[in-house]
Amino acid sequence: MRREDFFALAEKGVILLDGATGSNLIKAGMPRGVSTEQWVLEHPRVLWQLQREYVEAGSQIIYAPTFSANRSSLRNFGMEEQVERLNKELVQICREGVGDSAYIAGDLTTTGRMEPQGDLTYDQLLDIYREQAESLARAGVDLLVAETMLNVDETMAVLDAAASVCDLPVMCSLTLEADGSALYGGNAVEAVTTLQEMGACAVGLNCSVGPDQLEAVVASMKRVAKVPVITKPNAGMPVINDKGEAVYDMDAARFAASMRRLIDAGAGVVGGCCGTTPEHIRELRRVIGR
């Protein structure tokens, strides 16, 4: 996919993404505290089933489960030398399951270690993201997405790294509070104005809160956006049950109704994050009118 192909797709109407991966893998039996990437490689059928259900529900772009397949995060499991292999094999699993029914986005996320909160400099992050972006591009993804980013500066590092190794479109979404502030620096408006000038083909938010709290944030992003605005929130705010599990109580109908208001406020690329399922995406497709 080229940048112009992405913008052509956006001109046809709202782009529908997939829903959650991690929370659904946990429901399917993935233990907590393990490497998600390695677990998926050992249980590919679980991912195939989930992603096929998303495609059937209407998802046009599916996120590959490469969320933390970067050198920094993989070091927690002693797999930092396996970046190339893991990204390649995870993308292959997606392609086998999805085929040509949807675009596949190579997924990158925050390391959580950027200075001053962490110990990594901008240049060190560039090397980390460059390695993963290049691996994903060689694996054959259609585009890249930097999601659940904690601040604008680290997201800039992803864009710089991607531009240095490939010409794939890059979507960027940050985790934002209900007031539009990013957890480690920057805000919704700054994210859009900065990242679109750096070449992001879509900018927005994911995770953190539910869609019922984001109308003002999406509207503020739309006012300055020259690219589509991404909105991929959780199925409401989680409640921790007596087993220590996060439970999301926003059902598909209520989620989709809230998302309709966000689309009216300016969201042009939509999907779901933690707690959402293929049923949430199916209902979202219905309110979009497809």
Side-chain angles (χ1 to χ4, degrees), residues 91-247:
V91 171
Q92 286 177 337
I93 289 174
C94 287
R95 191 64 76 185
E96 290 168 6
V98 172
D100 295 324
S101 300
Y103 295 107
I104 293 177
D107 195 351
L108 306 91
T109 194
T110 180
T111 64
R113 296 176 57 193
M114 185 175 191
E115 295 179 336
Q117 289 81 13
D119 59 343
L120 294 178
T121 66
Y122 194 86
D123 286 343
Q124 288 172 319
L125 285 169
L126 274 179
D127 289 339
I128 289 169
Y129 287 128
R130 187 181 293 117
E131 180 182 29
Q132 187 181 9
E134 189 170 22
S135 297
L136 288 167
R138 282 201 292 259
V141 297
D142 298 299
L143 69 163
L144 299 173
V145 57
E147 66 158 338
T148 324
M149 302 302 293
L150 300 180
N151 60 47
V152 175
D153 288 346
E154 189 169 9
T155 315
M156 292 168 59
V158 177
L159 284 171
D160 275 342
S164 72
V165 296
C166 68
D167 57 1
L168 293 173
V170 185
M171 303 190 299
C172 298
S173 61
L174 284 76
T175 292
L176 301 175
E177 302 285 5
D179 64 358
S181 61
L183 298 182
Y184 286 176
N187 57 55
V189 171
E190 180 187 347
V192 176
T193 55
T194 300
L195 300 176
Q196 67 186 3
E197 292 304 318
M198 288 190 65
C201 65
V203 182
L205 57 92
N206 76 287
C207 205
S208 188
V209 298
D212 53 336
Q213 302 180 58
L214 294 170
E215 192 169 346
V217 178
V218 171
S220 71
M221 299 178 97
K222 179 61 176 177
R223 282 194 290 270
V224 297
K226 300 175 184 177
V227 297
V229 174
I230 303 170
T231 310
K232 202 175 192 280
N234 294 341
M237 293 295 288
V239 175
I240 306 301
N241 64 18
D242 56 4
K243 298 179 180 179
E245 301 167 336
V247 178

